[in-house]
Amino acid sequence: MDAIEQNVKSFIIDSFLPGADPSQLTEETPLITGGILDSLATVQLSIYLEQHFHIEIGAHETGPDNLNTLAQIAALVRSKRPA
């Protein structure tokens, strides 16, 4: 798990899974399709990603295709950052 994934994992646990065992949230845990993130939580996550990583995320990018797993979220963040 890289630094982006660790950072997002901490945000998700602190914000949406307080008291959960962090080892249960892996790079491939389904966040949206698994019911961990609902639509409001997805918006909160998108705002966090934009503010923390200084990127812009379009509304069309906030679905399960980009935000369903920590690995997908990290890939989206990396694709938005300058080279």
Side-chain angles (χ1 to χ4, degrees):
M1 194 173 286
D2 71 11
I4 295 171
E5 291 169 342
Q6 283 290 349
N7 185 293
V8 174
K9 179 178 179 175
S10 294
F11 173 76
I12 290 172
I13 289 174
D14 291 346
S15 300
F16 310 115
L17 298 169
D21 178 1
S23 68
Q24 297 298 310
L25 183 57
T26 69
E27 296 171 335
E28 298 302 324
T29 301
L31 301 170
I32 295 174
T33 58
I36 294 172
L37 299 180
D38 60 15
S39 58
L40 180 58
T42 302
V43 170
Q44 290 174 305
L45 173 61
S46 297
I47 291 169
Y48 172 79
L49 295 173
E50 289 182 334
Q51 292 177 344
H52 187 80
F53 295 105
H54 308 287
I55 60 173
E56 290 187 24
I57 299 174
H60 66 284
E61 298 172 308
T62 60
D65 289 343
N66 294 303
L67 301 179
N68 199 42
T69 67
L70 291 174
Q72 288 175 313
I73 294 167
L76 177 65
V77 169
R78 282 192 290 274
S79 75
K80 299 284 186 175
R81 294 175 115 182

